[in-house]
Amino acid sequence: MRIEKNYSLKNYNTFNVEARAEVVAFIESVADVFEAKKQFHNLNKHFVLGGGSNTLFKDNFEGLIFKNEMKGIKITDSNQDYAWIECSGGEEWQHLVDFTISNNLAGIENLSLIPGTVGASPIQNIGAYGTELKDCLDFTDAVDITTGEYRRFSNKDCQFGYRDSVFKHELKDKYFITGVTVKLSKNKKYNTEYADIKRKLQELEVTELSGKLMSDIVSEIRRTKFPDPSVLGNCGSFFKNSIIDVAFFNKLKLSFPDIPGYSDCDGLVKIPTGWLIEKAGWKGRRSGDAGVYEKHALILVNYGTATGKEIYCLSENIVHDVEDKFGIHLEKEANIV
Ligand code: EPU
């Protein structure tokens, strides 16, 4: 296991902010997790890092970082209708998507081009274009960082919600996710419900769908909306969409007749936070090298030398302003460390 001390994390977070870690352990096996924890038990905190695509380092990290480097993807089981794919946590998410497409398995093509690693995917139940990981995750394998004990979490055990799971609450920082197993369909079932996808399919006059085509369409939509982190530092959606009750939504509609909202069956309405931030006048604004992306207001970007603190400050200013204007408190999707 490789160990680095006083190590720069600039290349390990997609915001490209400078931050140093006291110790980084590059984990290649389950045994490495317990070994690293034992060796550095005197450090007072730890953090598990995947691709750093949902993390904002506000400060240097005084503690131990576990960098997941566990690799491997394989089909572990199969029947007439489904196949089960086991993927190690250190794999790039996109490698898993590509693997499933080349094996003609349907289920995660709408999650194409999401940056980050497989190990991070169940933590926030990654989602896009009407699909969430929870729709096909069979189980998550993990190791207890303190005891070294292995545990398998069923889909139900993960307590998935909108960009949410048990790993963000009572089990926060307790487990190192070693891998996931997804159950995918052999029957070419694709989710085409999202408006952007429908539009694209009509435009292309598609008569026969394939996983590859769905993945290409999703990737194209994402490229037009989201900045490529290798060109412009960002972590995708910085905030979650906002969920409010229908009575409050109707009240807001009186002052903001064009406010979009998507109802669910529990009397709740999901408001696109991108709309709220744009309406509050933040879209395209910049403070030094920290800014709100000009094409999508949910995304904060680093134009070059912004620090984690500056990006955090910008996000707090947005939270306060949106709260003043709409009475809605924005929740951050990004993990602030
Ligand atoms: N909108 C604006 N202004 C903006 C951006 C969006 O008004 O600057 C409004 C529009 O009404 C638009 C609506 O927001 O119709 C929805 O926008 P979009 O389709 O881009 O989706 P989103 O709700 O902003 C969510 C996810 C994305 C995911 C897309 C597509 C969250 C926090 N974000 O964004 O996920 O790719 O849907 O499914 O749920 C991520 O989690 O990092 C992420 C990128």
Side-chain angles (χ1 to χ4, degrees):
M1 165 178 45
R2 190 175 132 218
I3 299 284
E4 298 282 353
K5 293 184 179 166
N6 188 24
Y7 194 67
S8 169
L9 298 171
K10 192 165 166 41
N11 296 328
Y12 293 88
N13 72 94
T14 58
F15 260 125
N16 295 324
V17 297
E18 181 55 279
R20 299 192 87 78
E22 196 171 354
V23 179
V24 181
F26 292 84
I27 304 297
E28 285 169 34
S29 69
V30 173
D32 284 351
V33 178
F34 188 56
E35 186 49 43
K37 183 69 186 161
K38 205 169 80 187
Q39 204 175 325
F40 298 101
H41 66 274
N42 55 328
L43 302 189
N44 56 6
K45 57 178 178 173
H46 65 250
F47 175 70
V48 179
L49 184 62
S53 60
N54 199 43
T55 302
L56 176 63
F57 288 106
K58 197 155 66 94
D59 292 298
N60 290 332
F61 189 79
E62 307 298 339
L64 168 63
I65 288 193
F66 297 95
K67 172 75 181 79
N68 194 336
E69 299 276 313
M70 292 173 70
K71 298 283 156 70
I73 308 181
K74 59 176 190 270
I75 297 178
T76 49
D77 203 357
S78 172
N79 64 24
Q80 206 185 327
D81 298 318
Y82 295 99
W84 282 257
I85 320 289
E86 184 182 274
C87 184
S88 296
E91 287 285 353
E92 290 289 324
W93 173 260
Q94 186 60 30
H95 287 169
L96 175 58
V97 175
D98 291 341
F99 180 91
T100 67
I101 288 168
S102 56
N103 282 283
N104 294 316
L105 297 168
I108 57 172
E109 53 290 329
N110 288 15
L111 307 182
S112 293
L113 227 62
I114 292 186
T117 54
V118 167
S121 64
I123 296 180
Q124 55 153 345
N125 179 25
I126 57 170
Y129 307 105
T131 299
E132 289 183 324
L133 179 68
K134 76 165 168 49
D135 304 331
C136 65
L137 182 131
D138 201 15
F139 42 81
T140 298
D141 290 320
V143 53
D144 183 316
I145 291 172
T146 317
T147 63
E149 229 166 272
Y150 160 83
R151 179 169 163 194
R152 174 162 282 187
F153 293 82
S154 69
N155 184 306
K156 194 160 168 271
D157 293 338
C158 294
Q159 298 176 28
F160 289 126
Y162 167 57
R163 295 296 192 277
D164 205 18
S165 76
V166 71
F167 304 109
K168 280 186 159 186
H169 299 282
E170 61 258 43
L171 299 186
K172 189 170 162 53
D173 297 328
K174 286 205 164 46
Y175 280 89
F176 177 98
I177 292 171
T178 55
V180 303
T181 293
V182 287
K183 178 185 171 189
L184 300 177
S185 171
K186 292 182 173 176
N187 298 327
K188 298 191 172 211
K189 282 190 207 140
Y190 303 110
N191 182 348
T192 58
E193 284 310 299
Y194 205 84
D196 285 351
I197 294 187
K198 271 195 186 145
R199 200 172 312 124
K200 203 78 208 164
L201 289 172
Q202 271 166 8
E203 233 174 79
L204 297 171
E205 296 176 17
V206 171
T207 48
E208 206 191 329
L209 279 177
S210 69
K212 172 84 173 65
L213 179 65
M214 286 295 288
S215 174
D216 287 348
I217 288 174
V218 166
S219 302
E220 199 189 319
I221 297 169
R222 284 188 80 93
R223 281 194 192 99
T224 61
K225 284 195 174 179
F226 304 127
D228 177 349
S230 65
V231 179
L232 191 60
N234 75 90
C235 76
S237 302
F238 193 90
F239 300 99
K240 289 187 188 183
N241 281 326
S242 305
I243 295 168
I244 60 174
D245 65 45
V246 71
F248 184 37
F249 178 68
N250 289 335
K251 204 171 133 208
L252 278 174
K253 228 172 161 47
L254 298 175
S255 315
F256 307 100
D258 54 339
I259 188 169
Y262 309 96
S263 306
D264 75 1
C265 42
D266 299 322
L268 298 171
V269 180
K270 195 185 254 187
I271 316 259
T273 294
W275 185 92
L276 296 171
I277 298 174
E278 178 173 351
K279 194 79 178 173
W282 287 91
K283 193 171 181 172
R285 260 168 80 173
R286 188 169 166 165
S287 160
D289 268 355
V292 180
Y293 190 49
E294 61 197 4
K295 293 187 198 155
H296 201 299
L298 212 50
I299 298 170
L300 302 189
V301 291
N302 176 6
Y303 285 104
T305 58
T307 62
K309 270 206 181 79
E310 285 166 343
I311 294 169
Y312 180 75
C313 256
L314 173 67
S315 76
E316 283 293 288
N317 290 338
I318 294 171
V319 169
H320 293 135
D321 194 36
V322 166
E323 188 141 23
D324 280 353
K325 291 195 165 104
F326 301 99
I328 294 178
H329 183 78
L330 298 186
E331 252 186 75
K332 297 188 178 80
E333 181 182 323
N335 194 3
I336 316 291
V337 180

Coordinates of all heavy atoms in Angstrom, one line a residue, residues 124 127-130 162-163 194 196 222 225-226 235-237 239-241 260 262 272 274-275 278 283 295-298 333, ligand 1:
Q124 N -24.3 8.9 -2.5 CA -25.3 9.9 -2.8 C -26.3 9.4 -3.8 O -27.1 10.2 -4.3 CB -24.6 11.2 -3.3 CG -23.7 11.0 -4.5 CD -23.6 12.2 -5.3 OE1 -24.4 13.1 -5.1 NE2 -22.6 12.3 -6.1
G127 N -27.7 10.0 -9.7 CA -28.9 10.0 -10.6 C -28.8 11.0 -11.7 O -28.2 12.0 -11.6
A128 N -29.5 10.7 -12.8 CA -29.6 11.6 -13.9 C -30.7 11.0 -14.9 O -30.8 9.8 -15.1 CB -28.3 11.8 -14.7
Y129 N -31.4 12.0 -15.6 CA -32.3 11.6 -16.6 C -33.3 10.5 -16.3 O -33.5 9.5 -17.0 CB -31.5 11.3 -17.9 CG -30.6 12.5 -18.2 CD1 -29.2 12.4 -18.0 CD2 -31.1 13.7 -18.6 CE1 -28.4 13.5 -18.1 CE2 -30.3 14.8 -18.7 CZ -29.0 14.7 -18.5 OH -28.2 15.8 -18.6
G130 N -33.9 10.7 -15.1 CA -34.9 9.7 -14.7 C -34.5 8.4 -14.1 O -35.3 7.5 -13.8
Y162 N -33.4 10.7 -2.4 CA -32.9 11.6 -3.5 C -31.5 12.1 -3.1 O -31.4 12.8 -2.1 CB -33.9 12.8 -3.6 CG -33.3 13.9 -4.4 CD1 -32.9 13.7 -5.7 CD2 -33.3 15.2 -3.9 CE1 -32.3 14.8 -6.5 CE2 -32.8 16.3 -4.6 CZ -32.3 16.1 -5.9 OH -31.8 17.1 -6.6
R163 N -30.5 11.7 -3.8 CA -29.1 12.0 -3.5 C -28.7 11.7 -2.0 O -28.1 12.5 -1.4 CB -28.7 13.5 -3.8 CG -28.9 13.9 -5.3 CD -27.8 13.1 -6.1 NE -27.8 13.7 -7.4 CZ -28.6 13.5 -8.4 NH1 -29.6 12.6 -8.3 NH2 -28.5 14.0 -9.6
Y194 N -37.4 11.3 -19.7 CA -36.9 12.7 -19.4 C -37.0 13.6 -20.7 O -36.7 13.1 -21.8 CB -35.4 12.6 -19.0 CG -35.0 13.8 -18.1 CD1 -35.2 13.8 -16.7 CD2 -34.3 14.9 -18.7 CE1 -34.8 14.9 -16.0 CE2 -33.9 16.0 -17.9 CZ -34.2 15.9 -16.5 OH -33.7 17.0 -15.8
D196 N -35.5 16.1 -22.1 CA -34.4 16.3 -23.0 C -34.1 15.1 -23.9 O -33.7 15.2 -25.0 CB -33.1 16.6 -22.1 CG -33.1 18.0 -21.5 OD1 -34.0 18.8 -21.9 OD2 -32.2 18.3 -20.7
R222 N -25.3 16.1 -21.7 CA -24.5 16.5 -20.5 C -23.4 17.5 -21.0 O -23.1 18.4 -20.3 CB -23.8 15.3 -19.8 CG -24.8 14.6 -19.0 CD -24.1 13.5 -18.2 NE -23.4 14.1 -17.0 CZ -24.0 14.1 -15.8 NH1 -25.2 13.7 -15.6 NH2 -23.3 14.7 -14.8
K225 N -24.5 20.9 -21.3 CA -25.0 21.6 -20.1 C -23.9 21.8 -19.0 O -23.9 22.7 -18.2 CB -26.1 20.8 -19.4 CG -27.4 21.0 -20.2 CD -28.6 20.5 -19.3 CE -29.9 20.8 -19.9 NZ -31.0 20.4 -19.1
F226 N -23.1 20.7 -18.9 CA -22.1 20.7 -17.8 C -20.7 20.9 -18.2 O -20.3 20.3 -19.2 CB -22.3 19.3 -17.0 CG -23.6 19.0 -16.5 CD1 -24.3 17.8 -16.9 CD2 -24.3 19.9 -15.8 CE1 -25.5 17.5 -16.4 CE2 -25.6 19.7 -15.3 CZ -26.2 18.5 -15.7
C235 N -17.9 20.4 -9.6 CA -18.3 19.1 -9.0 C -19.7 18.8 -9.4 O -20.4 18.2 -8.6 CB -18.0 19.1 -7.5 SG -19.2 19.9 -6.6
G236 N -20.1 19.1 -10.6 CA -21.5 18.9 -11.1 C -22.4 19.7 -10.3 O -22.0 20.9 -9.9
S237 N -23.6 19.2 -10.0 CA -24.6 20.0 -9.2 C -24.0 20.3 -7.8 O -23.7 19.4 -7.1 CB -25.9 19.3 -9.0 OG -26.4 19.0 -10.3
F239 N -25.7 22.1 -5.5 CA -26.8 22.1 -4.6 C -27.8 21.0 -5.1 O -27.8 20.5 -6.2 CB -27.6 23.4 -4.7 CG -26.7 24.6 -4.3 CD1 -26.2 25.4 -5.2 CD2 -26.5 24.9 -2.9 CE1 -25.4 26.5 -4.9 CE2 -25.8 26.0 -2.6 CZ -25.2 26.8 -3.5
K240 N -28.6 20.5 -4.2 CA -29.7 19.6 -4.5 C -30.9 20.4 -5.0 O -31.0 21.6 -4.7 CB -30.2 18.8 -3.3 CG -29.2 17.9 -2.7 CD -29.9 17.1 -1.6 CE -29.0 16.2 -0.8 NZ -29.7 15.5 0.2
N241 N -31.8 19.8 -5.8 CA -33.0 20.4 -6.1 C -33.8 20.5 -4.8 O -33.6 19.8 -3.9 CB -33.8 19.6 -7.2 CG -33.2 19.9 -8.6 OD1 -32.8 21.1 -8.8 ND2 -33.2 18.9 -9.4
P260 N -41.0 26.8 -12.0 CA -41.3 25.4 -12.4 C -41.4 24.5 -11.1 O -40.7 24.8 -10.1 CB -40.1 24.9 -13.3 CG -39.1 26.0 -13.0 CD -39.6 27.1 -12.3
Y262 N -42.3 20.1 -10.0 CA -42.7 18.7 -10.4 C -43.3 18.1 -9.1 O -42.6 17.9 -8.1 CB -41.5 17.9 -10.9 CG -40.8 18.7 -12.0 CD1 -39.7 19.5 -11.7 CD2 -41.3 18.8 -13.3 CE1 -39.0 20.3 -12.7 CE2 -40.6 19.5 -14.3 CZ -39.5 20.2 -14.0 OH -38.9 21.0 -15.0
P272 N -36.6 23.1 -9.4 CA -35.2 23.1 -9.9 C -34.5 24.2 -9.2 O -34.8 25.4 -9.4 CB -35.3 23.3 -11.4 CG -36.8 23.2 -11.7 CD -37.6 23.4 -10.5
G274 N -31.6 25.2 -9.9 CA -31.0 26.0 -11.0 C -31.9 27.2 -11.3 O -31.4 28.3 -11.6
W275 N -33.2 27.0 -11.3 CA -34.1 28.1 -11.7 C -34.0 29.2 -10.6 O -34.0 30.4 -10.8 CB -35.5 27.5 -11.8 CG -36.5 28.5 -12.3 CD1 -36.9 28.8 -13.6 CD2 -37.3 29.5 -11.5 NE1 -37.8 29.8 -13.6 CE2 -38.1 30.2 -12.3 CE3 -37.3 29.7 -10.1 CZ2 -38.9 31.2 -11.9 CZ3 -38.2 30.7 -9.6 CH2 -39.0 31.4 -10.5
E278 N -30.8 31.1 -10.8 CA -30.8 32.0 -11.9 C -31.7 33.2 -11.7 O -31.3 34.3 -11.9 CB -31.3 31.2 -13.2 CG -31.3 32.1 -14.4 CD -31.6 31.3 -15.7 OE1 -31.6 30.0 -15.7 OE2 -31.9 32.0 -16.7
K283 N -26.6 33.5 -12.0 CA -26.1 32.7 -13.1 C -25.0 33.5 -13.8 O -25.2 34.7 -14.2 CB -27.2 32.4 -14.1 CG -26.9 31.3 -15.1 CD -28.1 30.9 -15.9 CE -27.9 29.8 -16.9 NZ -29.1 29.3 -17.5
K295 N -23.9 28.5 -18.1 CA -24.9 27.7 -18.8 C -25.8 27.0 -17.9 O -26.8 26.4 -18.3 CB -24.3 26.7 -19.8 CG -23.5 27.4 -20.9 CD -23.1 26.3 -21.9 CE -22.0 26.9 -22.8 NZ -21.2 25.8 -23.3
H296 N -25.4 26.9 -16.6 CA -26.2 26.1 -15.6 C -26.0 26.6 -14.2 O -24.9 26.4 -13.7 CB -25.9 24.6 -15.8 CG -27.0 23.7 -15.3 ND1 -27.4 23.8 -14.0 CD2 -27.8 22.8 -15.9 CE1 -28.4 22.9 -13.8 NE2 -28.7 22.3 -14.9
A297 N -27.0 27.2 -13.6 CA -26.8 27.9 -12.3 C -26.6 27.0 -11.1 O -26.2 27.4 -10.1 CB -28.0 28.8 -12.1
L298 N -26.8 25.6 -11.3 CA -26.6 24.7 -10.2 C -25.1 24.4 -10.0 O -24.7 23.7 -9.0 CB -27.4 23.4 -10.5 CG -28.0 22.6 -9.4 CD1 -28.8 23.4 -8.5 CD2 -28.8 21.5 -10.1
E333 N -25.4 19.6 -2.3 CA -25.1 18.2 -2.7 C -23.6 17.8 -2.5 O -23.3 16.7 -2.2 CB -25.5 18.0 -4.2 CG -25.3 16.6 -4.6 CD -25.7 16.3 -6.1 OE1 -26.6 16.9 -6.6 OE2 -24.9 15.5 -6.7
Ligands
EPU1 N1 -32.9 25.5 -14.7 C1 -32.9 26.9 -14.8 N2 -31.7 27.5 -14.9 C2 -30.5 26.9 -14.9 C3 -30.5 25.5 -14.8 C4 -31.7 24.8 -14.7 O1 -33.9 27.5 -14.8 O2 -29.5 27.5 -15.0 C5 -34.2 24.8 -14.6 C6 -35.0 24.7 -15.8 O3 -36.4 24.8 -15.5 C7 -34.7 23.2 -16.3 C8 -34.7 22.6 -14.9 O4 -34.0 23.5 -14.1 O5 -35.8 22.8 -17.0 C9 -34.0 21.2 -14.9 O6 -32.6 21.4 -15.3 P1 -31.8 20.1 -15.7 O7 -32.5 19.3 -16.6 O8 -30.4 20.6 -16.2 O9 -31.6 19.3 -14.4 P2 -31.3 19.7 -12.9 O10 -32.5 19.5 -12.1 O11 -30.7 21.1 -12.8 C10 -30.6 17.3 -12.1 C11 -29.5 16.7 -11.4 C12 -28.3 16.5 -12.3 C13 -28.8 15.6 -13.5 C14 -29.9 16.3 -14.2 C15 -30.5 15.5 -15.3 C16 -29.6 17.4 -9.1 C17 -29.1 18.2 -8.0 N3 -29.1 17.5 -10.3 O12 -30.2 18.7 -12.5 O13 -27.3 15.8 -11.6 O14 -27.7 15.4 -14.4 O15 -31.0 16.6 -13.3 O16 -31.2 14.5 -14.8 O17 -30.6 16.6 -8.9 C18 -25.4 16.0 -10.3 O18 -26.0 15.5 -9.4 O19 -24.2 16.4 -10.1 C19 -26.0 16.2 -11.5 C20 -25.4 16.9 -12.5

